[in-house]
Amino acid sequence: LNGDLLHRISYLVECENQLDMALDEISELSDSVLEYKEQATTAQFSLEQEIQQMEWLREEMKKKHLSSQMSIDSLVKGHEAEITNLKQELKEKNNKISKLNNEMDQMKNSLNNCSECSYLEVE
């Protein structure tokens, strides 16, 4: 009976030792899980910050693109207005030249038809 009791006690002591080792492993695993959870939370926070920064940069790029496009449009409109003005000036000058050419032709004709100036021939 003593041998059986000693056998059972040593078995229970061995079980207790295994339970202690299992609890130690569980505690270590729990610590690792907490550490990984902390790292994951930090990484998630960093990613969220990077995402916010990327969104901010995207909005800034949109603003700059829009601003650049508006500047380009403004320049184009300014050049179009300038071109229109230059075309108008050119048209007016061409009209003046035509008018002057007509007046000069009339003067030539008058001189050529002048009886007092018949000896002159105007070219």
Side-chain angles (χ1 to χ4, degrees):
L1 189 65
N2 268 345
D4 190 34
L5 190 56
L6 281 175
H7 180 50
R8 285 185 181 178
I9 290 174
S10 79
Y11 176 73
L12 286 175
V13 168
E14 180 63 27
C15 286
E16 185 180 8
N17 287 340
Q18 287 179 357
L19 278 173
D20 285 342
M21 288 189 325
L23 285 174
D24 288 343
E25 283 183 39
I26 289 172
S27 177
E28 286 175 21
L29 287 173
S30 177
D31 290 345
S32 293
V33 165
L34 288 174
E35 186 179 325
Y36 289 138
K37 186 177 178 183
E38 237 177 71
Q39 290 174 358
T41 302
T42 302
Q44 180 181 1
F45 180 72
S46 293
L47 283 174
E48 286 172 354
Q49 283 184 323
E50 284 185 43
I51 289 170
Q52 286 176 351
Q53 187 176 12
M54 294 297 278
E55 287 174 350
W56 180 82
L57 284 172
R58 183 179 63 191
E59 290 302 315
E60 288 300 307
M61 293 301 286
K62 278 183 184 178
K63 288 177 189 174
K64 286 182 182 177
H65 175 72
L66 184 59
S67 175
S68 295
Q69 189 62 44
M70 289 170 63
S71 295
I72 289 170
D73 290 347
S74 175
L75 284 172
V76 167
K77 285 180 184 174
H79 288 307
E80 286 174 348
E82 190 176 334
I83 288 169
T84 301
N85 289 341
L86 288 172
K87 282 182 180 178
Q88 184 62 35
E89 283 181 36
L90 182 61
K91 186 177 178 182
E92 289 170 6
K93 286 181 182 182
N94 281 336
N95 286 341
K96 283 182 183 178
I97 290 171
S98 291
K99 195 174 183 181
L100 288 172
N101 280 335
N102 287 339
E103 287 177 11
M104 200 163 71
D105 286 345
Q106 286 176 358
M107 287 178 168
K108 282 181 187 178
N109 286 337
S110 293
L111 282 174
N112 284 334
N113 292 333
C114 177
S115 59
E116 296 173 6
C117 312
S118 61
Y119 62 91
L120 292 174
E121 208 173 284
V122 181
E123 294 179 10

